[in-house]
Amino acid sequence: MAIEPATKDDQDKLSTALPKLKKEDPSFTYSTNDETKQTIIGGMGELHLEIIVDRLKREFKVNVKIGKPIVAYRETISKEIDIVYLLKKQSGGAGQFAGISMRIKPGARGTGIVFHDEVVGGKIPKEYIPSVEKGLRSAAQSGCLLGFPTIDFSVELYDGRTHDIDSSTLAFELCARAAFREHISEAKPIALEPIMKVDVDVPGEYLGDVMGDINSKRGRILETENGPNGKILAEVPLSEMTGYISTLRERTKGTGTFSMSFEKYDIIPSNIIEKIKSNLWY
């Protein structure tokens, strides 16, 4: 569950209250997601977390809002593009001048960002090349569809321009950042979502019902094992798994259990993207 303090004063109270609750109850967890900046609390189930929130309000006088954790989505590209970009600024004194030419290509899933220096003839001095890569990686931290990092693409830097006075490491970093942000939409970006490997243990009598529920969550059944101790192995989008423990217990009269782990990022169906946009909160 995500919690958010209502005011700055509540933030200070929350920072004091959470360690105290953790000390009293080892099954309670809390952390801050570096990417979404949300404070996430965890426990043995929804009732457990509802009690924690009630204690925060009643005992520690902390006014908090609760909600679903934001899923860490990603973006990638589906089309190769060629970018020629010139940064030229002059405002008294030393200016900023940097020119780069680069190809950006889609990469295989899981490859991250791959940077290739293919500049020849000193068109861009070697000391400026790392600044181009730094600027690109920085700009890629915020995509143009959902605002999440862009991954799985390669960059081939093959040409550029410099100025004897106004070129610098900063100028080339800013140039690369601006080039990416202004042109990445031309590469036909697509949104990706984390897919979890879900392992469910359930009495055989409930197997069909649980499988149907997983299918309704856009899940893909990989393996099943029938019998008194049934098993289901599936891949399910993380966004569909919030509160799943309560659903599973309800469908199996409290006898079902599950575990899940990150498996991969995969393309989000277009009909789901607008729904995701409306549900994002920061």
Side-chain angles (χ1 to χ4, degrees):
M1 180 184 293
I3 60 172
E4 184 180 72
T7 67
K8 176 64 169 66
D9 186 46
D10 288 315
Q11 175 67 66
D12 296 336
K13 291 179 183 178
L14 185 65
S15 299
T16 301
L18 290 177
K20 291 182 178 179
L21 290 170
K22 172 65 178 174
K23 189 174 182 179
E24 294 177 15
D25 182 359
S27 65
F28 168 67
T29 63
Y30 69 92
S31 61
T32 299
N33 187 301
D34 292 336
E35 188 171 319
T36 65
K37 309 305 179 186
Q38 284 185 306
T39 298
I40 308 297
I41 59 173
M44 300 301 289
E46 290 186 8
L47 178 60
H48 185 195
L49 295 184
E50 287 170 5
I51 293 171
I52 291 290
V53 171
D54 180 67
R55 289 190 63 191
L56 283 170
K57 294 178 178 178
R58 183 167 39 83
E59 296 178 28
F60 296 94
K61 310 300 180 186
V62 185
N63 186 17
V64 295
K65 297 182 287 184
I66 62 173
K68 293 181 179 181
I70 293 175
V71 174
Y73 295 104
R74 291 290 184 268
E75 299 180 18
T76 190
I77 61 172
S78 59
K79 176 187 174 183
E80 178 180 334
I81 58 172
D82 199 291
I83 301 174
V84 177
Y85 195 88
L86 179 66
L87 175 74
K88 188 177 181 181
K89 293 184 178 180
Q90 188 72 45
S91 56
Q96 292 176 344
F97 186 101
I100 59 174
S101 298
M102 59 185 177
R103 282 180 293 271
I104 298 182
K105 301 179 179 181
R109 198 73 70 242
T111 55
I113 301 173
V114 181
F115 181 83
H116 300 284
D117 172 16
E118 298 183 359
V119 177
V120 295
K123 293 292 185 69
I124 301 178
K126 288 294 182 184
E127 63 266 28
Y128 296 155
I129 302 296
S131 297
V132 176
E133 181 176 2
K134 181 180 178 182
L136 287 167
R137 291 185 179 275
S138 173
Q141 288 304 302
S142 180
C144 61
L145 287 178
L146 301 176
F148 286 88
T150 303
I151 59 172
D152 298 342
F153 66 91
S154 66
V155 179
E156 299 172 359
L157 179 67
Y158 62 86
D159 201 359
R161 294 174 58 188
T162 61
H163 187 277
D164 290 341
I165 298 174
D166 294 339
S167 289
S168 64
T169 54
L170 177 60
F172 273 90
E173 180 181 341
L174 294 175
C175 179
R177 194 182 304 172
F180 184 91
R181 288 177 176 169
E182 291 182 26
H183 291 279
I184 196 60
S185 60
E186 300 167 11
K188 293 188 176 180
I190 52 178
L192 305 172
E193 63 182 340
I195 304 296
M196 311 302 287
K197 181 171 284 187
V198 180
D199 196 341
V200 185
D201 291 306
V202 56
E205 61 187 295
Y206 303 115
L207 195 68
D209 190 23
V210 173
M211 287 173 60
D213 182 55
I214 289 175
N215 286 328
S216 74
K217 297 179 182 298
R218 298 191 287 126
R220 186 168 70 93
I221 306 293
L222 302 178
E223 297 177 19
T224 61
E225 183 179 319
N226 210 337
N229 300 311
K231 288 183 176 293
I232 302 170
L233 184 63
E235 291 180 349
V236 189
L238 177 59
S239 60
E240 303 283 351
M241 293 300 293
T242 302
Y244 182 62
I245 187 61
S246 297
T247 302
L248 182 62
R249 286 172 178 167
E250 180 181 333
R251 290 180 176 272
T252 63
K253 296 183 179 179
T255 58
T257 61
F258 83 100
S259 63
M260 68 177 180
S261 58
F262 174 75
E263 177 67 14
K264 61 184 178 182
Y265 277 97
D266 207 353
I267 297 172
I268 304 174
S270 57
N271 63 314
I272 302 294
I273 292 179
E274 289 305 317
K275 179 182 176 182
I276 291 172
K277 287 180 179 179
S278 65
N279 287 336
L280 289 176
W281 60 282
Y282 298 88

